[in-house]
Amino acid sequence: MTHLRNKAICASGFHSPERGVIDRLDDVLISIDENGTIASIHRHGDPNYRTIRETRAAAGELVTLPEGSYLLPGFVDLHVHAPQFPQLGNALDVPLEVWLQRYTFPLEARYEDHAFARRAYRLLVDDLIANGTTTALYFATIHQDATRILADTCLERGQRALIGKVAMDNAEECPDYYRDASTDAALSGTRDLIDYIRSHPDNAEKRVLPVVTPRFIPSCTDATLEGLGTIARDCGCHVQTHCSESDWAHGYVLSRHGMTDTASLDRFGLLGRRSVLAHANFLTEKDVETLKARQSAVAHCPLSNAYFANAVFPLRAALEKGLNVGLGTDISGGPSASMFENCRAAIMASRMLESGVDPRLDAASRSTFGPARLDFRDAFHVATAGGAKALDLPVGQFSPGYRFDAMVVDANADKGTIRLWGDLDIGDDILQKIIFGASRANIAGVWVDGRKLA
Amino acid sequence: MTHLRNKAICASGFHSPERGVIDRLDDVLISIDENGTIASIHRHGDPNYRTIRETRAAAGELVTLPEGSYLLPGFVDLHVHAPQFPQLGNALDVPLEVWLQRYTFPLEARYEDHAFARRAYRLLVDDLIANGTTTALYFATIHQDATRILADTCLERGQRALIGKVAMDNAEECPDYYRDASTDAALSGTRDLIDYIRSHPDNAEKRVLPVVTPRFIPSCTDATLEGLGTIARDCGCHVQTHCSESDWAHGYVLSRHGMTDTASLDRFGLLGRRSVLAHANFLTEKDVETLKARQSAVAHCPLSNAYFANAVFPLRAALEKGLNVGLGTDISGGPSASMFENCRAAIMASRMLESGVDPRLDAASRSTFGPARLDFRDAFHVATAGGAKALDLPVGQFSPGYRFDAMVVDANADKGTIRLWGDLDIGDDILQKIIFGASRANIAGVWVDGRKLA
């Protein structure tokens, strides 16, 4: 397999443009233009299918996936703390306070060291690509230089990325050795990074985008939150932050601002069509209405939530209410870089939210929430098209006008972890087996904008 | 790497002989005898260490693990439905009744076909070995021939295995096309399999053992349960069954027998030192005392429980009470053949049991169970030494007299999913990263009885 600009690929696979819909692709012909945009899709049986296929093949412009390989949209990882990658899978045996103070803040502070940043970010971006993540929404650190290195790395490696310099200037909640020196520093650093990314000579295609990134309300002064709201409005940037993640964080904002995270972010002008709130576990009904009105999105991080959120985000309810939701690994609050593992965790957590957990209670008192279960279709949707919609980007599905950001899963890969079974796997069973079984070894190819990255 | 009988291996790694203890091995010398038993272990700094190492090296009898590779005990998977492997990762989007009647019973019935059985069991056993599972406790099907094929396969491939012909003769709960024709058929089939395995010409080392296997109380008549209790006592076999898995199953036994699963199994003589009860989510305090008195064990299956159990098994409480507990994949009620993934699920589920799940409740009413969290150390212990103790087998740890059943995890493996980070990974952080990160691609070698299988 190879680059696919100005080519066509003949493939079987799956995508999920709408929640609840799995569109099975059987030997479809996807034509990709010179910019990496999907120009047309022809299905077996379409009038021109055979002609186009033969013409492209004769011109040497047709790539055909082998039997047992399946084309999926690349994953959109809606919440990644890029600097935390070196401790991925570590420190989940300690309480949040220890996790932050002993592990996470000292690690993030190390990105003052450019060489460290370069090495860590290169490994991270390559690992995410190898795991099928074609778009990532990144928190970086407070450092201007290291955050630029992350942008450079994504441009160099070809991943679609949205990157924010983290703003955190509240001396009461941030350590002395790791916080913005002042509100001015937080705001000017944010503006500088926006300028850097937007004017980057290698970024003419705008594959990397800047993001206004208050860490979360507790770590920011009101002046910084207000200033960032102004920058977001002036620049039309994406915005990302954490929202009502844990009992502590939710309670902190209620106590400091006398309102929920959502209400407070809204009054600072931080909720818009391109805002993504990580976690959002403790939204009120009114918060949900506010997010819908602003068309803002939630990044659901099921693995991380098991460790740090004290509750399960009610994803099914959110989808049924029409909220925009995508899926995030929350590296390294979640211990896996794999969106497949996060799909599985989202499904598992939804079942536990529905049934409850305490076996000493009778079924009726154990199960307090009501219907909450999700299946692999929902998880796949939020991990691809859902995340893309959250970001307002034309990716996450195979449709004309969308960018060709995709992966190939080889069910027969050496060291792979999927076993298909001919007559047993019917309908979308193959997708179900991929979602529940796939590991990195099964990912045989990854493209962004039609360019092959892995 | 190679066979290790009559050799020594110099390795770094980890094992957990007791709960709460992670014993880090730094360049230890493990000498393995001609039968695959660990003869001696010498640590760096022991008086004879250097001499033994040089002598074995000079004789060409020393195998040294490369940097970045770690020796772990092989996994003991305490609950596998071998015939369900072809649907692994499928059918988890449907209710239990549909799962059983439309998918699982028809699939198990297909094992009347020897060719099907041979193909499926070969793939299963090879995949489990490749995932680091050196011992598996298998439910087969009702079929004598197919179950013998499973035993043959394990003997041929070299996996340590405990195998039961499933007994299920209750016409009210089992489908016509898939049940033992009579109590006699269930009992004589069980006896025949025991004889077959014990007298198998390739089984002189007793690496494969027979297991008395009533599916669960609902699928057995009382006569069969009683007869199986007699067989277990007469033959001194292992016993396996399901126990109080879901609200339905738990309630069914209460209603039919007027007592819990545990009490009922006990009166039939099915609880002994070598009995393993899958799930056991709804044990009463009295049940726990009974299991402790009988020294019987529980197979905790965290992934499967999320789909079919309606609650989380309180593993930490069970360990603190001194119950024998191991970990099981419950293929295919659980969607993964990986014990690493099940370790992760056990940890995640324990956190959710502790915090509760429903974000609409305040923290105090959400968290009904109390302290329940486990860390990677506990999960690693139950997946190795815990399961071995449950089965009363000398495996699961590196100690003289134990069998050399082991795996090597290569943190740098191509397509692997672990990133170690020099100065950041201290103490048992490397083990934590392995537990949270490893996938099949990281498993670079697997041995049973000192024989290299993968």
Side-chain angles (χ1 to χ4, degrees):
Chain A
M1 282 171 280
T2 176
H3 290 292
L4 288 170
R5 292 184 169 201
N6 278 323
K7 294 197 174 161
I9 182 168
C10 179
S12 294
F14 303 89
H15 68 151
S16 174
E18 302 295 331
R19 185 199 169 208
V21 175
I22 298 297
D23 181 22
R24 214 174 72 196
L25 309 171
D26 290 313
D27 284 335
V28 295
L29 274 179
I30 303 177
S31 293
I32 296 136
D33 73 13
E34 70 280 9
N35 302 312
T37 300
I38 297 172
S40 66
I41 299 188
H42 293 275
R43 293 176 187 256
H44 222 66
D46 283 0
N48 302 328
Y49 180 88
R50 181 172 291 201
T51 314
I52 294 172
R53 184 168 169 163
E54 285 168 3
T55 311
R56 301 302 296 255
E61 295 168 355
L62 181 70
V63 173
T64 302
L65 284 194
E67 188 84 14
S69 286
Y70 298 90
L71 187 71
L72 308 179
F75 286 127
V76 177
D77 186 340
L78 217 49
H79 189 46
V80 183
H81 287 277
Q84 297 173 15
F85 182 61
Q87 71 181 9
L88 184 69
N90 240 357
L92 293 165
D93 55 331
V94 297
L96 176 63
E97 195 54 19
V98 177
W99 185 82
L100 273 175
Q101 303 295 340
R102 191 191 299 162
Y103 291 87
T104 303
F105 286 149
L107 174 55
E108 293 197 14
R110 284 181 71 172
Y111 286 74
E112 212 168 28
D113 174 349
H114 299 182
F116 185 86
R118 203 164 281 119
R119 177 167 167 243
Y121 285 154
R122 168 74 178 265
L123 285 169
L124 166 67
V125 171
D126 283 355
D127 273 3
L128 289 188
I129 291 169
N131 275 293
T133 298
T134 48
T135 299
L137 177 56
Y138 289 116
F139 278 62
T141 59
I142 63 170
H143 310 101
Q144 186 66 215
D145 289 347
T147 306
R148 292 178 179 204
I149 288 170
L150 177 57
D152 294 348
T153 305
C154 292
L155 286 168
E156 185 196 322
R157 312 308 286 172
Q159 190 185 39
R160 192 179 307 284
L162 302 95
I163 299 172
K165 175 215 123 50
V166 172
M168 47 190 285
D169 69 330
N170 182 6
E172 283 172 31
E173 296 291 334
C174 307
D176 288 343
Y177 64 86
Y178 183 58
R179 69 164 181 263
D180 285 308
S182 63
T183 296
D184 272 357
L187 300 182
S188 64
T190 298
R191 268 188 237 101
D192 288 351
L193 187 81
I194 294 171
D195 292 343
Y196 179 79
I197 289 177
R198 288 190 167 172
S199 61
H200 198 295
D202 300 336
N203 197 24
E205 294 178 337
K206 298 196 192 326
R207 215 175 48 248
V208 174
L209 297 168
V211 185
V212 169
T213 307
R215 190 176 193 111
F216 66 152
I217 289 174
S219 45
C220 294
T221 59
D222 287 5
T224 288
L225 293 166
E226 194 171 336
L228 292 174
T230 304
I231 294 176
R233 191 194 58 215
D234 291 350
C235 300
C237 278
H238 285 82
V239 174
Q240 62 181 339
T241 190
H242 300 80
C243 172
S244 299
E245 174 175 3
S246 64
D247 288 312
W248 177 84
H250 188 59
Y252 173 96
V253 177
L254 285 174
S255 150
R256 181 173 131 197
H257 285 159
M259 61 185 85
T260 63
D261 290 55
T262 301
S264 189
L265 293 168
D266 194 35
R267 74 190 166 122
F268 288 121
L270 288 162
L271 297 186
R273 171 65 187 93
R274 294 179 164 194
S275 298
V276 176
L277 306 182
H279 310 300
N281 297 296
F282 298 100
L283 296 182
T284 63
E285 287 299 318
K286 185 147 172 279
D287 290 340
V288 172
E289 290 313 310
T290 302
L291 294 183
K292 279 179 63 179
R294 303 287 174 263
Q295 299 183 274
S296 301
V298 168
H300 172 41
C301 307
L303 272 178
S304 163
N305 286 353
Y307 294 94
F308 298 113
N310 322 123
V312 173
F313 174 72
L315 175 54
R316 172 165 161 179
L319 292 170
E320 284 169 355
K321 287 170 190 159
L323 211 57
N324 288 337
V325 187
L327 199 66
T329 56
D330 192 15
I331 291 168
S332 70
S336 172
S338 162
M339 288 286 282
F340 281 119
E341 283 210 37
N342 276 279
C343 284
R344 307 197 264 269
I347 300 165
M348 178 177 166
S350 78
R351 300 293 288 242
M352 293 165 78
L353 176 59
E354 178 168 308
S355 66
V357 288
D358 186 344
R360 300 173 318 175
L361 304 177
D362 63 58
S365 21
R366 190 188 319 131
S367 169
T368 57
F369 189 85
R373 67 174 61 191
L374 296 170
D375 65 19
F376 66 99
R377 298 172 191 88
D378 296 315
F380 176 60
H381 172 75
V382 295
T384 53
K389 189 174 174 200
L391 293 172
D392 196 22
L393 290 175
V395 299
Q397 59 180 278
F398 301 115
S399 302
Y402 281 71
R403 317 293 298 170
F404 188 81
D405 287 13
M407 75 178 110
V408 166
V409 171
D410 177 2
N412 305 317
D414 185 41
K415 309 275 183 189
T417 41
I418 303 168
R419 284 271 175 223
L420 300 185
W421 208 275
D423 64 326
L424 279 177
D425 299 320
I426 52 177
D428 45 20
D429 287 347
I430 290 173
L431 178 63
Q432 185 167 191
K433 281 192 166 180
I434 289 172
I435 297 294
F436 278 112
S439 57
R440 175 176 173 167
N442 289 107
I443 300 176
V446 179
W447 292 261
V448 168
D449 279 343
R451 277 204 201 92
K452 189 157 192 291
L453 308 186
Chain B
M1 281 172 280
T2 173
H3 290 291
L4 288 170
R5 293 186 169 199
N6 278 323
K7 294 198 175 161
I9 182 167
C10 179
S12 294
F14 303 88
H15 68 152
S16 175
E18 302 295 331
R19 184 199 170 210
V21 176
I22 298 296
D23 182 20
R24 214 175 71 195
L25 309 170
D26 289 314
D27 283 337
V28 297
L29 274 178
I30 303 177
S31 293
I32 295 136
D33 74 12
E34 71 278 11
N35 301 313
T37 300
I38 297 172
S40 66
I41 298 189
H42 294 276
R43 289 174 191 258
H44 222 63
D46 284 1
N48 302 326
Y49 179 90
R50 180 171 294 202
T51 315
I52 294 171
R53 185 169 168 162
E54 285 169 2
T55 311
R56 302 301 296 258
E61 296 167 354
L62 182 69
V63 173
T64 302
L65 284 195
E67 188 83 13
S69 286
Y70 299 90
L71 188 70
L72 307 180
F75 285 126
V76 178
D77 187 339
L78 218 49
H79 189 47
V80 183
H81 287 276
Q84 296 172 18
F85 181 62
Q87 72 182 10
L88 183 69
N90 240 358
L92 293 166
D93 55 330
V94 297
L96 177 63
E97 195 55 21
V98 176
W99 185 82
L100 273 175
Q101 303 295 340
R102 190 193 300 165
Y103 291 88
T104 304
F105 286 149
L107 174 56
E108 292 197 14
R110 283 182 70 172
Y111 286 74
E112 213 169 27
D113 173 349
H114 299 183
F116 185 87
R118 203 164 282 118
R119 175 167 169 242
Y121 285 153
R122 168 75 178 265
L123 285 169
L124 165 68
V125 171
D126 284 355
D127 272 2
L128 289 188
I129 292 169
N131 275 294
T133 298
T134 48
T135 299
L137 176 56
Y138 288 117
F139 278 64
T141 60
I142 63 170
H143 311 102
Q144 187 65 217
D145 289 346
T147 306
R148 292 177 179 205
I149 288 170
L150 177 58
D152 295 348
T153 304
C154 292
L155 287 167
E156 184 196 323
R157 310 307 287 172
Q159 190 186 38
R160 193 178 307 285
L162 302 95
I163 298 170
K165 177 214 119 52
V166 172
M168 47 190 285
D169 69 330
N170 182 6
E172 282 172 32
E173 295 292 334
C174 308
D176 289 343
Y177 64 85
Y178 182 58
R179 68 165 182 262
D180 285 308
S182 64
T183 295
D184 272 356
L187 300 180
S188 65
T190 298
R191 268 190 237 98
D192 289 350
L193 187 80
I194 294 171
D195 293 343
Y196 178 80
I197 289 177
R198 288 189 165 172
S199 62
H200 198 295
D202 299 334
N203 197 23
E205 295 177 337
K206 298 197 194 323
R207 214 176 49 250
V208 173
L209 297 168
V211 185
V212 170
T213 307
R215 189 175 193 111
F216 68 152
I217 290 174
S219 45
C220 294
T221 61
D222 287 6
T224 287
L225 292 166
E226 194 171 337
L228 292 174
T230 305
I231 294 174
R233 191 193 60 216
D234 291 350
C235 300
C237 278
H238 284 80
V239 175
Q240 64 181 339
T241 190
H242 299 79
C243 171
S244 299
E245 176 177 359
S246 64
D247 288 312
W248 177 84
H250 188 58
Y252 172 96
V253 176
L254 285 173
S255 151
R256 180 171 130 195
H257 284 160
M259 63 185 84
T260 63
D261 290 56
T262 301
S264 188
L265 293 168
D266 194 36
R267 74 190 166 120
F268 288 121
L270 288 163
L271 297 186
R273 171 66 187 95
R274 296 180 162 193
S275 297
V276 175
L277 306 183
H279 309 300
N281 296 297
F282 298 100
L283 296 182
T284 64
E285 287 300 317
K286 186 147 173 278
D287 290 340
V288 172
E289 291 313 311
T290 303
L291 294 184
K292 280 179 62 178
R294 303 287 175 263
Q295 299 182 274
S296 301
V298 168
H300 172 41
C301 306
L303 272 178
S304 161
N305 286 354
Y307 294 94
F308 297 115
N310 321 122
V312 174
F313 174 72
L315 174 54
R316 172 164 161 180
L319 292 170
E320 283 170 356
K321 288 171 188 160
L323 210 59
N324 289 335
V325 187
L327 199 65
T329 57
D330 192 16
I331 290 168
S332 69
S336 172
S338 163
M339 288 286 280
F340 282 118
E341 282 211 38
N342 276 277
C343 285
R344 306 197 265 269
I347 300 166
M348 178 178 167
S350 78
R351 300 291 288 244
M352 293 166 77
L353 176 58
E354 179 168 307
S355 66
V357 288
D358 185 345
R360 299 174 318 174
L361 305 177
D362 63 59
S365 19
R366 189 189 320 133
S367 169
T368 57
F369 190 85
R373 66 174 61 191
L374 298 169
D375 65 18
F376 66 98
R377 300 172 189 87
D378 296 315
F380 177 60
H381 172 75
V382 296
T384 54
K389 189 175 174 199
L391 293 172
D392 197 22
L393 290 175
V395 298
Q397 59 180 278
F398 301 114
S399 302
Y402 281 69
R403 317 292 298 171
F404 188 81
D405 288 12
M407 75 178 109
V408 165
V409 171
D410 177 1
N412 306 318
D414 185 43
K415 307 275 181 189
T417 42
I418 303 169
R419 284 269 175 223
L420 299 185
W421 208 275
D423 65 324
L424 279 177
D425 298 320
I426 53 177
D428 44 21
D429 286 346
I430 291 173
L431 178 63
Q432 186 167 190
K433 281 194 167 179
I434 289 172
I435 296 295
F436 278 113
S439 57
R440 175 176 174 167
N442 289 108
I443 300 176
V446 179
W447 293 262
V448 168
D449 280 344
R451 278 202 201 95
K452 190 157 192 292
L453 308 187

